[in-house]
Structure formats: C-alpha cells, structure tokens
Amino acid sequence: MFTKTDIEKYFTGEKQESLLFLGVGIAAFVLAVVFYFFVKTPFYRGAALPLLFIGLLLGVVGYTVYKRSDSDRIRNVYAYDMAPGDLKTKEIPRMVSVMKNFVVYRYTEILLGITGLALFFYFRNNAAQQFWKGLGCTLAIMALIALTADYFAEKRGKIYISGLQQFVNQQK
C-alpha cells in the first residue's frame, strides 16, 4: 500500500542524491581549475574540460533539485490527503516526463562514456596527443559517475511512480 511515507522517502532520496550531484559538481569544478591553471600538462588540461563542463552541469542540476525537493514533497504529501486528483493530474505526468528523461540521460551518458574510452585508447600511446587522452579518460569517468547516480535515481523513480499509480487507481 502506497502511503505518505513513500512520498517522503522518494523526495528524501532525491534530495540526498542531489547533494551528491552538487558535491561531485563542486569537486569537479575545483579539480578542473587546479588541472588547467596549476598542473598545466596537456593530459591534465584535457582532463579539465569534462571536469569543468560536466561538473557545472551536475552542480546546477544538484542545486536545482535540492532546492525544490522539499516543496515537491510537501505539495505531494498534502495532495495525498487533501487533493488526490492532483497526484493523477500533476504528479504522475511530471514523473512520466522525468522517467522519459532518464532514458535520454542514460543513452547520452553511455555515448559520452564510449566516446571517452575511444579517445583514451586511441591516443594512449601517442605522446603528442596527451590532451585528448586526458579528455577521454575524464569524460569516461564523469559519464560513469553520472550514469551510476542516474541509475539509482531511475530505480527510485520507478518504485515511486508505480506506487502513485496504484494509489490513484484505488481512489476510483
């Protein structure tokens, strides 16, 4: 049986994961600055680019989700008791969209990871192209981190949307 506790659990997990994204984003940004401005070798300059761009993306997404999680949780717990129709008309469509986005994220992250590995292995023995080797190595690592985090978020989302749908169907 789907309860308010399940809503609380979903948004608590979302908030915790968003802090992870924010932390990884900040760490990646700091590492990118260190690699680019202080280490300055071609490998580390190449590594700085995925750290910077993916780190900024993860940081912004993490902050945005963290900031809105509490209001989403409160709104949906309220809807559970006072306006269950809102779960059907607002929350389920929002979650369907979120779940579709996870598919796009997954394939994008897999593509970035494969691209990173291809760059790394193609340039691994080419001393003149260490920039691309560093870029590929870090791109693969960052894609794997994002893919792993999104895997758990998607898994949690499937449980949540399934519970929402069961609850809404019982209200009929």
Side-chain angles (χ1 to χ4, degrees):
M1 167 113 188
F2 186 76
T3 66
K4 291 186 285 190
T5 304
D6 295 314
I7 296 171
E8 298 270 354
K9 183 179 175 183
Y10 172 76
F11 285 104
T12 299
E14 182 179 74
K15 191 171 182 178
Q16 289 171 344
E17 187 170 12
S18 68
L19 280 177
L20 174 69
F21 267 55
L22 182 59
V24 169
I26 291 169
F29 179 80
V30 169
L31 205 53
V33 169
V34 169
F35 283 178
Y36 194 83
F37 292 108
F38 298 105
V39 180
K40 296 184 181 180
T41 66
F43 179 88
Y44 287 103
R45 283 216 166 165
L49 293 179
L51 286 170
L52 175 67
F53 293 115
I54 297 174
L56 283 173
L57 180 66
L58 292 176
V60 167
V61 167
Y63 175 76
T64 302
V65 171
Y66 180 82
K67 187 172 175 160
R68 74 156 211 269
S69 288
D70 285 333
S71 62
D72 286 349
R73 176 183 51 81
I74 291 166
R75 182 185 72 246
N76 288 300
V77 167
Y78 175 83
Y80 181 91
D81 281 334
M82 304 303 286
D86 284 357
L87 294 176
K88 182 178 183 178
T89 61
K90 295 178 183 172
E91 184 63 1
I92 288 177
R94 183 189 77 82
M95 283 304 298
V96 167
S97 176
V98 166
M99 298 308 288
K100 285 180 183 176
N101 287 340
F102 278 128
V103 174
V104 172
Y105 302 154
R106 180 183 329 123
Y107 287 112
T108 301
E109 291 157 356
I110 289 169
L111 179 64
L112 289 173
I114 290 169
T115 301
L117 287 172
L119 286 169
F120 177 79
F121 284 112
Y122 185 77
F123 292 110
R124 75 177 183 269
N125 294 326
N126 188 337
Q129 299 294 328
Q130 291 300 294
F131 175 89
W132 294 106
K133 180 180 174 184
L135 189 142
C137 177
T138 309
L139 183 61
I141 291 168
M142 293 298 289
L144 181 61
I145 289 169
L147 183 63
T148 303
D150 283 341
Y151 167 79
F152 290 108
E154 183 177 11
K155 186 176 174 182
R156 193 174 56 254
K158 284 179 183 176
I159 294 167
Y160 176 62
I161 196 170
S162 174
L164 280 173
Q165 290 167 333
Q166 288 173 5
F167 173 75
V168 167
N169 289 338
Q170 290 173 353
Q171 297 300 306
K172 293 179 180 179

